Amino acid sequence: MVKVKIIGATGYGGIGLIELLKQHPEAEITALVAREDVGKRISDIYPHLEGFCDLPILDAADPQAQAPADIVVFSTPDRVGMYSAPDVLAGGAKVLDFSGDFRFTTQEAYADYATRHGKDPIHASPELLGQNAYGLAELHRAAIGAAPVVGNPGCFACSCILGLAPAAKERLFNPYSVICDCKTGVSGAGKKLAATFHYPARYENMNAYKLAGHQHVCEVERELSLQYGSEIKLTFTAHVLPLCRGIMSTLYAQMDAAHTEAELVELYKEFYKDSPFVRVYGSKAAIGTNCVQRTNFCNLVVSVDERVNRLRVVSYIDNLMKGQAGSAVQNINLMSGLPETMGLLRSGLYP
Amino acid sequence: MVKVKIIGATGYGGIGLIELLKQHPEAEITALVAREDVGKRISDIYPHLEGFCDLPILDAADPQAQAPADIVVFSTPDRVGMYSAPDVLAGGAKVLDFSGDFRFTTQEAYADYATRHGKDPIHASPELLGQNAYGLAELHRAAIGAAPVVGNPGCFACSCILGLAPAAKERLFNPYSVICDCKTGVSGAGKKLAATFHYPARYENMNAYKLAGHQHVCEVERELSLQYGSEIKLTFTAHVLPLCRGIMSTLYAQMDAAHTEAELVELYKEFYKDSPFVRVYGSKAAIGTNCVQRTNFCNLVVSVDERVNRLRVVSYIDNLMKGQAGSAVQNINLMSGLPETMGLLRSGLYP
Amino acid sequence: MVKVKIIGATGYGGIGLIELLKQHPEAEITALVAREDVGKRISDIYPHLEGFCDLPILDAADPQAQAPADIVVFSTPDRVGMYSAPDVLAGGAKVLDFSGDFRFTTQEAYADYATRHGKDPIHASPELLGQNAYGLAELHRAAIGAAPVVGNPGCFACSCILGLAPAAKERLFNPYSVICDCKTGVSGAGKKLAATFHYPARYENMNAYKLAGHQHVCEVERELSLQYGSEIKLTFTAHVLPLCRGIMSTLYAQMDAAHTEAELVELYKEFYKDSPFVRVYGSKAAIGTNCVQRTNFCNLVVSVDERVNRLRVVSYIDNLMKGQAGSAVQNINLMSGLPETMGLLRSGLYP
Amino acid sequence: MVKVKIIGATGYGGIGLIELLKQHPEAEITALVAREDVGKRISDIYPHLEGFCDLPILDAADPQAQAPADIVVFSTPDRVGMYSAPDVLAGGAKVLDFSGDFRFTTQEAYADYATRHGKDPIHASPELLGQNAYGLAELHRAAIGAAPVVGNPGCFACSCILGLAPAAKERLFNPYSVICDCKTGVSGAGKKLAATFHYPARYENMNAYKLAGHQHVCEVERELSLQYGSEIKLTFTAHVLPLCRGIMSTLYAQMDAAHTEAELVELYKEFYKDSPFVRVYGSKAAIGTNCVQRTNFCNLVVSVDERVNRLRVVSYIDNLMKGQAGSAVQNINLMSGLPETMGLLRSGLYP
């Protein structure tokens, strides 16, 4: 049994991981740590867990919170996990971090990310950068298995990277022509209260936000550039819509030569032939976010606007599953030498 | 492995059963039968099943549809299963029916039900009435295990009966004082298109319906009367609300003597102490339908309006789970000698 | 032109009043006062008002906030308006208060209300109690026209009182048999952030709340008792559902004698024949909250459960209109000698 | 008083027009015609109109339906209005058509549109093409005032054209670089039932659709090309989201030279300085569809992705107002010599 400790257990990321690990045949949760609600049982806060997980919330300094673990998950904001990771590693466990702290493998890349988003550009554990892996299994399966520290991807980033990586690898498009038009449900913003996510303010209301720049752009550009072999710069727009779960990212890129939808579907299927959580469709398929809801799948609908020779991919994920806790379990499996799909192969429940 | 054949596989009841059985360690689906979409794969119609269940939809007359089964499930409207049940039994399988056909154990009770709802009062297989069991495991566990034919309960009925059975058994209330004020999400009406369930017509819209009498009343009255020991007549109001899944039934009954909430909570907990899918709470608990969503649980919040000595129970279920496919799997387990909870012990995913 | 000053202008009550008064041919807004956002224009906070109302938010102490007014509206919580009302009256204006401060006409009734809800039972301006009117025009038209101080009704209360007043006046039911099962959209809780109204927590989630007692019960019991001629005690359950606007209250009462639906519909129509905002229907009408949404109407669907001789009325209002700002404009009209319907006769926009 | 007759009165377009005209000080409805529900009162079908519009639905052949009118509105599908328009004109009335029939001013342009969408390319009244005007007041104010026949714009088209016209007129971008990523609520699809708009199937579900080509593309390209002075070809993606009303179109175009957001905001404000229903904002404004809901406004948020020199405009409208009935009233005003804003200057009601 893989022992997992969760820091930041009471946010949506933490709770999602608890739900999945309680259904995982080879994993067990050894401790739940958070800053708020210390002393309460997790099922007091989230009654749907009653009888499934009744562990107490512990303060980080609590002796019980020092229980041994194989993997320590930081479901915490930026600049939390980076301070604790060295101690975790010294204790013999691996680190899986949900923030931007370990999504970049050089100090320069981290500094660029941090600077753009108004954060301190100095990484607290620069010696770990380079040892870490970007936790998108479809692109970095082997590295994730080997790395002591893994940075779980951002939800938007995950949908965009999966949607464009095959075409990027083949350099099918102009590197400055990419547009990511992303739509998310509200759960992507987490459990923190905000006027814009107050129920009446959000009901039947949708809007673009962070037009000046979203924090996930850096990782999309970095990963696609890696596939492409040279720099990609893209335009990214985040929109929030009145639903709870789901991301639909519509991705555009100007192709240099004509390619049919059939060719591209074939290319994408080949690229993902060993990736059990990616499904590829042509433009006739009737796919919506409800086909991936509460699952770890990413559904890609590939099409071409032949009048202007433009690639268009619509990428569907559940932002809290493939976009967060599902990818995390996929990473935990890889980091533990377990089959990648363990504990994750379930269809959603419709409708 | 219990072999299950599903008639009416493409409705919400059928699809829900497929989803659960594909995650059940001791059950397998041998055939899917429906009248529409014959020849398509079920995952062509419901793409979320891709890779989980790709069985073809068969016509009832198709030889493949005659594959042997231990249990044949009729997820069909009233007056379908009753015609086929004798043949199924003759073939050595048991019958689980989702309609009103086998929810009553006498021809008189069936006729009363059918007459009230404008249907033919003559049951097509009256010889089976009396051999059948009402499929609410919490009240009829042993009978379900022994019966060749089980009538799966109505969704509203399930929520109301579980909410009042403990008090009924103790005869705590006046038998003509019961009011069931029931609120359901739209999925309770199934997949059939209707103007009132067209998205724009239902968005931010709620209403009471079938004020002249809902078809689930008969089974609620019959089951509560059985517990009470004499006739109960109640007022039932169905309301439909703009959400997909969930039933919240607020149940009122005038008590003959004063009882505190604490006494009643104790009574309810005792009544359900061997029922793993019922959880009992007092009025301070923060319970909503999202605590039971996509699970087989029924959460009961018990309270007393002491100023007028009135019992009030709020009963929460997922109408498609405990209210339909979840109860069905519970029944399949009991009918097959498997542990009642097999394949059903999962928390929902929040939010 | 009636000059109106709004205290507490930035809450849902204030904003609703602004929207209606800007479309009112005989009213003008002279000042907007609030504690937060002072100095901003109201249309900076609520961009939909851009070009319609761009007045600044003033501090109560600002000289501009002393601009003369005919009516000062307190869209403020309990125990705010009661302190300022005497000064307003001394200045020659009338008071319309949205809280519980002036919904009761005796110190005893106020103290009962306040005590039940954990508030100071001593009214700050007891000399005004008795001069004030309960602002439900359908029952107190003349009093509202004459009173210097009017207490705007609670939203749930409004729906329940209108739904049962005609039957109460005829003493058709047992005074201890009344049950009000009320369902509201989330906007009823106002703009204050709360974990339970965070969008993801409320999506597809419904629950009963305040089971120990809702603050609107006192005014329902008081008003129905007035109609009935003796004390009524009732059971009240509040439920919150995942929509924005709308109240649906299902009201039950045990009748002492048999009455048909047709008789009751007739009785209700007669009772409300001079009330242009109340529409009465029988049980066959297809009425939902979307028939009253964003209007000042109350739609009543009257039916009888003849098997147990129980009256059942379903009362539909928009909680922010007839339940708040719409009733307020109705009251402002009456307090100003204007036609009751002025500025309010508009259908909603469907869907 | 302008006399208006509505053909196709019972669809969302018709009902929207009725609602607005009943609040219009200088318009009256003389007849409602439809193919279904003939003989019923419109308020029997739409109870929110009770007391506001109780006119009967007439068959087109009914003598009452021949009542004189100044303007006949065809709120009908493609290829209905084009057959009747000549008779209407011969009778002395003008025509306002909601379909694609009169959105193009040459037989060639109509044929291109019709062919792309699988319709008969031969216009039934080609002699009227050239006399007609495209009914987007902001671009064709004078023509609309003078034309006997006006084609009301498509909802998506309206949002896209308004969002890019100012930049097109200045030829700021590459004519083949335009992408329109459009998101709509479900009401855009009208009242016709469809499996994809059944409430449970649409709840928490979003998807792209008509990836092979949406029928509104032709008019966007035609109108933008007119502004641009030469051909524009663009990529258009339609998405449908789980809300009722609202369109959010995110529009991208590659600029040939660097322009700041401030410059562009200024340009847009200047372009629309005489258009009272268009509001222009920079990227810092907190604008969502709820700022325009149930109003005739179009809110434009203008920004630049300076890293790649790309223009990005987010265009917000209510698809049933500015996208349909609101624009229709604007056109009726212009066609009748009334002030353009008459009957339309109302804020929405928040939330």
Side-chain angles (χ1 to χ4, degrees), chain C residues 91-133:
Chain C
K94 291 183 172 186
V95 167
L96 176 61
D97 187 286
F98 282 15
S99 80
D101 284 11
F102 291 108
R103 291 181 190 158
F104 304 93
T105 53
T106 66
Q107 168 63 31
E108 292 67 33
Y110 177 78
D112 176 43
Y113 160 78
T115 305
R116 283 211 225 168
H117 302 291
K119 290 171 185 155
D120 180 350
I122 310 299
H123 198 285
S125 300
E127 72 282 6
L128 296 179
L129 300 179
Q131 298 183 50
N132 61 322

Short mmCIF file of all heavy atoms in Angstrom, two decimals, chain C residues 91-133:
data_model
loop_
_atom_site.label_atom_id
_atom_site.label_comp_id
_atom_site.label_asym_id
_atom_site.label_seq_id
_atom_site.Cartn_x
_atom_site.Cartn_y
_atom_site.Cartn_z
N GLY C 91 -38.25 65.41 10.25
CA GLY C 91 -37.90 66.19 9.06
C GLY C 91 -39.01 66.27 8.04
O GLY C 91 -38.84 66.85 6.98
N GLY C 92 -40.12 65.63 8.33
CA GLY C 92 -41.26 65.75 7.44
C GLY C 92 -41.41 64.66 6.41
O GLY C 92 -42.31 64.70 5.57
N ALA C 93 -40.55 63.65 6.45
CA ALA C 93 -40.65 62.55 5.49
C ALA C 93 -41.31 61.35 6.15
O ALA C 93 -41.41 61.26 7.37
CB ALA C 93 -39.29 62.17 4.94
N LYS C 94 -41.75 60.43 5.33
CA LYS C 94 -42.26 59.16 5.82
C LYS C 94 -41.14 58.12 5.77
O LYS C 94 -40.12 58.31 5.11
CB LYS C 94 -43.43 58.69 4.96
CG LYS C 94 -44.70 59.55 5.11
CD LYS C 94 -45.84 58.97 4.28
CE LYS C 94 -47.16 59.69 4.58
NZ LYS C 94 -48.30 59.05 3.88
N VAL C 95 -41.36 57.00 6.47
CA VAL C 95 -40.36 55.94 6.54
C VAL C 95 -40.93 54.64 5.97
O VAL C 95 -42.05 54.24 6.33
CB VAL C 95 -39.91 55.70 8.00
CG1 VAL C 95 -39.12 54.40 8.13
CG2 VAL C 95 -39.12 56.89 8.51
N LEU C 96 -40.16 54.00 5.10
CA LEU C 96 -40.47 52.64 4.66
C LEU C 96 -39.26 51.79 5.00
O LEU C 96 -38.15 52.06 4.53
CB LEU C 96 -40.73 52.62 3.14
CG LEU C 96 -40.97 51.26 2.49
CD1 LEU C 96 -42.20 50.56 3.07
CD2 LEU C 96 -41.10 51.40 0.98
N ASP C 97 -39.47 50.77 5.84
CA ASP C 97 -38.35 49.98 6.36
C ASP C 97 -38.47 48.53 5.88
O ASP C 97 -39.53 47.92 5.95
CB ASP C 97 -38.34 50.04 7.89
CG ASP C 97 -37.12 49.38 8.48
OD1 ASP C 97 -37.06 48.13 8.49
OD2 ASP C 97 -36.22 50.11 8.94
N PHE C 98 -37.34 47.98 5.38
CA PHE C 98 -37.35 46.62 4.82
C PHE C 98 -37.10 45.53 5.87
O PHE C 98 -37.18 44.35 5.55
CB PHE C 98 -36.26 46.49 3.74
CG PHE C 98 -36.61 47.08 2.41
CD1 PHE C 98 -37.68 47.95 2.25
CD2 PHE C 98 -35.86 46.77 1.28
CE1 PHE C 98 -37.99 48.50 1.01
CE2 PHE C 98 -36.16 47.31 0.03
CZ PHE C 98 -37.22 48.17 -0.10
N SER C 99 -36.75 45.90 7.09
CA SER C 99 -36.39 44.89 8.10
C SER C 99 -37.59 44.55 8.96
O SER C 99 -38.72 44.96 8.68
CB SER C 99 -35.27 45.45 8.98
OG SER C 99 -35.81 46.33 9.96
N GLY C 100 -37.34 43.82 10.03
CA GLY C 100 -38.41 43.49 10.96
C GLY C 100 -38.78 44.63 11.90
O GLY C 100 -39.73 44.49 12.69
N ASP C 101 -38.10 45.74 11.82
CA ASP C 101 -38.27 46.80 12.81
C ASP C 101 -39.69 47.32 12.92
O ASP C 101 -40.16 47.66 14.02
CB ASP C 101 -37.35 47.99 12.50
CG ASP C 101 -35.90 47.73 12.88
OD1 ASP C 101 -35.56 46.57 13.20
OD2 ASP C 101 -35.10 48.69 12.85
N PHE C 102 -40.36 47.43 11.78
CA PHE C 102 -41.70 48.03 11.82
C PHE C 102 -42.77 47.11 11.25
O PHE C 102 -43.78 47.56 10.73
CB PHE C 102 -41.69 49.40 11.12
CG PHE C 102 -40.91 50.44 11.87
CD1 PHE C 102 -39.68 50.87 11.40
CD2 PHE C 102 -41.39 50.96 13.08
CE1 PHE C 102 -38.94 51.81 12.11
CE2 PHE C 102 -40.66 51.90 13.78
CZ PHE C 102 -39.42 52.34 13.31
N ARG C 103 -42.53 45.82 11.35
CA ARG C 103 -43.55 44.86 10.90
C ARG C 103 -44.53 44.51 12.01
O ARG C 103 -45.50 43.79 11.77
CB ARG C 103 -42.88 43.58 10.40
CG ARG C 103 -42.11 43.77 9.10
CD ARG C 103 -41.49 42.47 8.62
NE ARG C 103 -40.57 42.72 7.52
CZ ARG C 103 -39.58 41.91 7.17
NH1 ARG C 103 -39.38 40.78 7.84
NH2 ARG C 103 -38.79 42.21 6.16
N PHE C 104 -44.27 45.00 13.23
CA PHE C 104 -45.13 44.69 14.37
C PHE C 104 -45.62 45.99 14.97
O PHE C 104 -44.90 46.99 14.95
CB PHE C 104 -44.35 43.84 15.39
CG PHE C 104 -43.81 42.59 14.75
CD1 PHE C 104 -42.52 42.58 14.22
CD2 PHE C 104 -44.60 41.46 14.63
CE1 PHE C 104 -42.03 41.45 13.59
CE2 PHE C 104 -44.10 40.32 14.00
CZ PHE C 104 -42.82 40.31 13.47
N THR C 105 -46.82 45.95 15.48
CA THR C 105 -47.44 47.22 15.87
C THR C 105 -47.54 47.39 17.38
O THR C 105 -48.11 48.37 17.85
CB THR C 105 -48.84 47.33 15.24
OG1 THR C 105 -49.58 46.16 15.58
CG2 THR C 105 -48.74 47.47 13.73
N THR C 106 -46.97 46.44 18.12
CA THR C 106 -46.91 46.62 19.58
C THR C 106 -45.51 46.22 20.06
O THR C 106 -44.82 45.42 19.42
CB THR C 106 -47.91 45.71 20.32
OG1 THR C 106 -47.54 44.34 20.13
CG2 THR C 106 -49.34 45.93 19.84
N GLN C 107 -45.13 46.78 21.16
CA GLN C 107 -43.83 46.43 21.75
C GLN C 107 -43.80 44.95 22.10
O GLN C 107 -42.78 44.28 21.96
CB GLN C 107 -43.57 47.31 22.99
CG GLN C 107 -42.40 46.86 23.87
CD GLN C 107 -41.04 46.92 23.17
OE1 GLN C 107 -40.81 47.76 22.31
NE2 GLN C 107 -40.14 46.01 23.52
N GLU C 108 -44.95 44.39 22.51
CA GLU C 108 -44.99 42.97 22.89
C GLU C 108 -44.70 42.10 21.67
O GLU C 108 -43.93 41.14 21.73
CB GLU C 108 -46.36 42.59 23.47
CG GLU C 108 -46.66 43.21 24.81
CD GLU C 108 -46.83 44.73 24.74
OE1 GLU C 108 -47.33 45.24 23.71
OE2 GLU C 108 -46.42 45.41 25.70
N ALA C 109 -45.36 42.42 20.57
CA ALA C 109 -45.18 41.60 19.37
C ALA C 109 -43.74 41.72 18.88
O ALA C 109 -43.12 40.72 18.48
CB ALA C 109 -46.15 42.05 18.27
N TYR C 110 -43.19 42.94 18.95
CA TYR C 110 -41.80 43.09 18.53
C TYR C 110 -40.88 42.29 19.44
O TYR C 110 -39.96 41.60 18.98
CB TYR C 110 -41.37 44.56 18.52
CG TYR C 110 -39.92 44.66 18.15
CD1 TYR C 110 -39.52 44.54 16.81
CD2 TYR C 110 -38.92 44.78 19.11
CE1 TYR C 110 -38.19 44.55 16.45
CE2 TYR C 110 -37.58 44.79 18.76
CZ TYR C 110 -37.22 44.68 17.44
OH TYR C 110 -35.90 44.67 17.10
N ALA C 111 -41.13 42.35 20.71
CA ALA C 111 -40.26 41.65 21.67
C ALA C 111 -40.33 40.14 21.44
O ALA C 111 -39.32 39.44 21.53
CB ALA C 111 -40.67 42.00 23.10
N ASP C 112 -41.51 39.65 21.14
CA ASP C 112 -41.65 38.22 20.86
C ASP C 112 -40.80 37.84 19.65
O ASP C 112 -40.02 36.88 19.68
CB ASP C 112 -43.13 37.90 20.60
CG ASP C 112 -43.32 36.44 20.21
OD1 ASP C 112 -42.70 35.55 20.84
OD2 ASP C 112 -44.11 36.18 19.28
N TYR C 113 -40.94 38.62 18.61
CA TYR C 113 -40.16 38.39 17.39
C TYR C 113 -38.66 38.46 17.69
O TYR C 113 -37.88 37.58 17.31
CB TYR C 113 -40.55 39.45 16.35
CG TYR C 113 -39.56 39.67 15.24
CD1 TYR C 113 -39.47 38.79 14.16
CD2 TYR C 113 -38.72 40.78 15.25
CE1 TYR C 113 -38.56 39.01 13.14
CE2 TYR C 113 -37.81 41.00 14.23
CZ TYR C 113 -37.73 40.12 13.18
OH TYR C 113 -36.83 40.33 12.17
N ALA C 114 -38.25 39.52 18.37
CA ALA C 114 -36.82 39.72 18.61
C ALA C 114 -36.26 38.62 19.51
O ALA C 114 -35.17 38.10 19.28
CB ALA C 114 -36.58 41.11 19.22
N THR C 115 -37.00 38.26 20.51
CA THR C 115 -36.53 37.24 21.44
C THR C 115 -36.32 35.91 20.74
O THR C 115 -35.32 35.23 20.93
CB THR C 115 -37.56 37.07 22.58
OG1 THR C 115 -37.78 38.34 23.16
CG2 THR C 115 -37.06 36.08 23.62
N ARG C 116 -37.30 35.56 19.92
CA ARG C 116 -37.19 34.28 19.22
C ARG C 116 -35.96 34.22 18.32
O ARG C 116 -35.47 33.15 18.00
CB ARG C 116 -38.41 34.08 18.31
CG ARG C 116 -39.65 33.68 19.04
CD ARG C 116 -40.50 32.81 18.12
NE ARG C 116 -41.90 33.22 18.18
CZ ARG C 116 -42.82 32.81 17.32
NH1 ARG C 116 -42.49 32.01 16.32
NH2 ARG C 116 -44.07 33.19 17.45
N HIS C 117 -35.48 35.38 17.91
CA HIS C 117 -34.38 35.37 16.95
C HIS C 117 -33.10 35.95 17.53
O HIS C 117 -32.22 36.40 16.82
CB HIS C 117 -34.81 36.07 15.66
CG HIS C 117 -36.00 35.38 15.09
ND1 HIS C 117 -35.91 34.13 14.56
CD2 HIS C 117 -37.32 35.70 15.12
CE1 HIS C 117 -37.11 33.71 14.22
NE2 HIS C 117 -37.98 34.64 14.55
N GLY C 118 -33.05 35.95 18.85
CA GLY C 118 -31.79 36.29 19.50
C GLY C 118 -31.41 37.74 19.42
O GLY C 118 -30.23 38.09 19.45
N LYS C 119 -32.42 38.62 19.29
CA LYS C 119 -32.10 40.04 19.21
C LYS C 119 -32.63 40.75 20.44
O LYS C 119 -33.49 40.24 21.15
CB LYS C 119 -32.72 40.64 17.94
CG LYS C 119 -32.01 40.12 16.70
CD LYS C 119 -32.72 40.52 15.43
CE LYS C 119 -32.00 39.85 14.26
NZ LYS C 119 -32.88 39.68 13.10
N ASP C 120 -32.11 41.95 20.65
CA ASP C 120 -32.54 42.78 21.76
C ASP C 120 -34.05 43.00 21.67
O ASP C 120 -34.56 43.52 20.66
CB ASP C 120 -31.79 44.12 21.65
CG ASP C 120 -32.15 45.09 22.76
OD1 ASP C 120 -33.09 44.83 23.53
OD2 ASP C 120 -31.46 46.12 22.84
N PRO C 121 -34.81 42.64 22.69
CA PRO C 121 -36.28 42.75 22.60
C PRO C 121 -36.81 44.17 22.80
O PRO C 121 -38.01 44.40 22.63
CB PRO C 121 -36.76 41.84 23.74
CG PRO C 121 -35.64 41.83 24.72
CD PRO C 121 -34.36 42.00 23.94
N ILE C 122 -35.94 45.10 23.15
CA ILE C 122 -36.41 46.47 23.41
C ILE C 122 -36.37 47.28 22.13
O ILE C 122 -35.30 47.52 21.56
CB ILE C 122 -35.51 47.17 24.46
CG1 ILE C 122 -35.34 46.29 25.70
CG2 ILE C 122 -36.09 48.55 24.82
CD1 ILE C 122 -36.63 45.96 26.40
N HIS C 123 -37.51 47.70 21.65
CA HIS C 123 -37.56 48.50 20.43
C HIS C 123 -37.01 49.90 20.72
O HIS C 123 -37.25 50.46 21.79
CB HIS C 123 -39.01 48.59 19.93
CG HIS C 123 -39.13 49.00 18.50
ND1 HIS C 123 -38.94 50.28 18.06
CD2 HIS C 123 -39.41 48.28 17.39
CE1 HIS C 123 -39.12 50.34 16.75
NE2 HIS C 123 -39.39 49.12 16.31
N ALA C 124 -36.26 50.46 19.79
CA ALA C 124 -35.61 51.75 20.03
C ALA C 124 -36.57 52.93 19.89
O ALA C 124 -36.30 54.02 20.39
CB ALA C 124 -34.43 51.92 19.07
N SER C 125 -37.67 52.73 19.22
CA SER C 125 -38.63 53.81 19.03
C SER C 125 -40.04 53.31 19.29
O SER C 125 -40.91 53.34 18.41
CB SER C 125 -38.53 54.37 17.60
OG SER C 125 -37.26 54.89 17.34
N PRO C 126 -40.29 52.87 20.51
CA PRO C 126 -41.59 52.22 20.80
C PRO C 126 -42.76 53.16 20.58
O PRO C 126 -43.88 52.71 20.32
CB PRO C 126 -41.45 51.80 22.26
CG PRO C 126 -40.36 52.65 22.82
CD PRO C 126 -39.42 52.92 21.69
N GLU C 127 -42.50 54.46 20.63
CA GLU C 127 -43.60 55.42 20.45
C GLU C 127 -44.18 55.36 19.04
O GLU C 127 -45.30 55.79 18.80
CB GLU C 127 -43.12 56.84 20.77
CG GLU C 127 -42.17 57.47 19.75
CD GLU C 127 -40.72 56.99 19.83
OE1 GLU C 127 -40.44 56.05 20.63
OE2 GLU C 127 -39.88 57.53 19.10
N LEU C 128 -43.42 54.79 18.11
CA LEU C 128 -43.92 54.71 16.73
C LEU C 128 -44.77 53.47 16.51
O LEU C 128 -45.54 53.41 15.53
CB LEU C 128 -42.74 54.72 15.74
CG LEU C 128 -41.91 56.00 15.73
CD1 LEU C 128 -40.75 55.88 14.73
CD2 LEU C 128 -42.78 57.21 15.38
N LEU C 129 -44.63 52.46 17.36
CA LEU C 129 -45.42 51.24 17.19
C LEU C 129 -46.88 51.56 17.45
O LEU C 129 -47.22 52.18 18.47
CB LEU C 129 -44.90 50.15 18.12
CG LEU C 129 -43.42 49.76 17.88
CD1 LEU C 129 -42.98 48.69 18.87
CD2 LEU C 129 -43.20 49.32 16.45
N GLY C 130 -47.70 51.18 16.55
CA GLY C 130 -49.11 51.56 16.63
C GLY C 130 -49.43 52.60 15.57
O GLY C 130 -50.53 52.62 15.02
N GLN C 131 -48.44 53.46 15.29
CA GLN C 131 -48.62 54.39 14.16
C GLN C 131 -48.25 53.73 12.84
O GLN C 131 -48.57 54.22 11.77
CB GLN C 131 -47.71 55.60 14.32
CG GLN C 131 -47.98 56.46 15.55
CD GLN C 131 -47.04 57.67 15.55
OE1 GLN C 131 -46.94 58.39 14.57
NE2 GLN C 131 -46.36 57.89 16.67
N ASN C 132 -47.47 52.66 12.96
CA ASN C 132 -46.94 52.03 11.74
C ASN C 132 -47.95 51.06 11.13
O ASN C 132 -48.92 50.65 11.78
CB ASN C 132 -45.64 51.29 12.06
CG ASN C 132 -45.83 50.18 13.09
OD1 ASN C 132 -46.61 50.34 14.03
ND2 ASN C 132 -45.15 49.07 12.92
N ALA C 133 -47.69 50.72 9.88
CA ALA C 133 -48.55 49.76 9.18
C ALA C 133 -47.69 48.63 8.62
O ALA C 133 -46.52 48.82 8.29
CB ALA C 133 -49.30 50.44 8.03
#
